[in-house]
Amino acid sequence: EPEVTQTPSHQVTQMGQEVILRCVPISNHLYFYWYRQILGQKVEFLVSFYNNEISEKSEIFDDQFSVERPDGSNFTLKIRSTKLEDSAMYFCASSEGATSNYGYTFGSGTRLTVV
Amino acid sequence: TQLLEQSPQFLSIQEGENLTVYCNSSSVFSSLQWYRQEPGEGPVLLVTVVTGGEVKKLKRLTFQFGDARKDSSLHITAAQPGDTGLYLCAGARGGTASKLTFGTGTRLQVTL
């Protein structure tokens, strides 16, 4: 069964450093998303991406965050200057069609720890 | 802010029992999705319901979307230990690539 692949599975970084989280969505999917889940809390929306541009972003997704689809297969999330509160599981997801009718396929996540 | 409240938060039952998990909001959603999440993994889609009043069955799991599209329920018949996990509902408002608002989650444990 097709799956969304995320790398790395774990990342430890020092506060203030830049990190790039990588995702390979399912090949025929057109819609891409990043979510995060702080330990013990709800899954929270960060950003959605369609047709090579951001469709929607949350208040969490400030100027420190950016997304890119550099080569037609990878989908990356960059955090420019990490803060302690960025520590969380980051999930990439993709869907075949619009959110209302199509569920997402989530990756296994990247656990980001900022120290 | 759209919120989805799930109840109960925790449920511990014995194998063979039936259970229902509820997902409620004051907001209308264009669709409701149910996911199951294992520790350290991403959510896995179980079902999407899009029409008010819709009922979908997936083996022993029955999902219902409320008539007003503000609430949903998940009913499990004859629970098995393999059903143990975190169940999440998530609502979509509509639009091309709109976000999912996730519920607070229901942690289910089924024991022998």
Side-chain angles (χ1 to χ4, degrees), chain A residues 37-79:
Chain A
Q37 187 175 31
I38 295 171
L39 187 63
Q41 297 187 22
K42 291 194 297 185
V43 177
E44 300 176 289
F45 170 77
L46 292 178
V47 66
S48 59
F49 192 87
Y50 170 68
N51 203 25
N52 284 318
E53 60 183 24
I54 290 174
S55 293
E56 188 174 356
K57 59 184 180 179
S58 71
E59 296 167 353
I60 304 167
F61 195 89
D62 61 21
D63 291 345
Q64 294 301 312
F65 290 85
S66 63
V67 289
E68 199 174 37
R69 188 158 161 78
D71 56 13
S73 62
N74 291 286
F75 180 50
T76 61
L77 174 69
K78 181 193 290 186
I79 309 175

Side-chain angles (χ1 to χ4, degrees), chain A residues 31 33 35 37 42-43 45 48 50 55-56 89 91 98-104 106-108, chain B residues 30-31 33 35 37 40-43 45 48 50 92-100 102-103:
Chain A
Y31 302 81
Y33 312 86
Y35 284 75
Q37 187 175 31
K42 291 194 297 185
V43 177
F45 170 77
S48 59
Y50 170 68
S55 293
E56 188 174 356
M89 279 287 279
F91 293 109
T99 309
S100 294
N101 296 310
Y102 291 84
Y104 294 3
F106 280 86
S108 295
Chain B
S30 59
S31 70
Q33 301 174 12
Y35 291 83
Q37 186 178 24
E41 297 290 325
L45 178 70
T48 300
V50 299
R93 290 174 302 160
T96 304
S98 65
K99 68 178 185 182
L100 283 179
F102 275 83

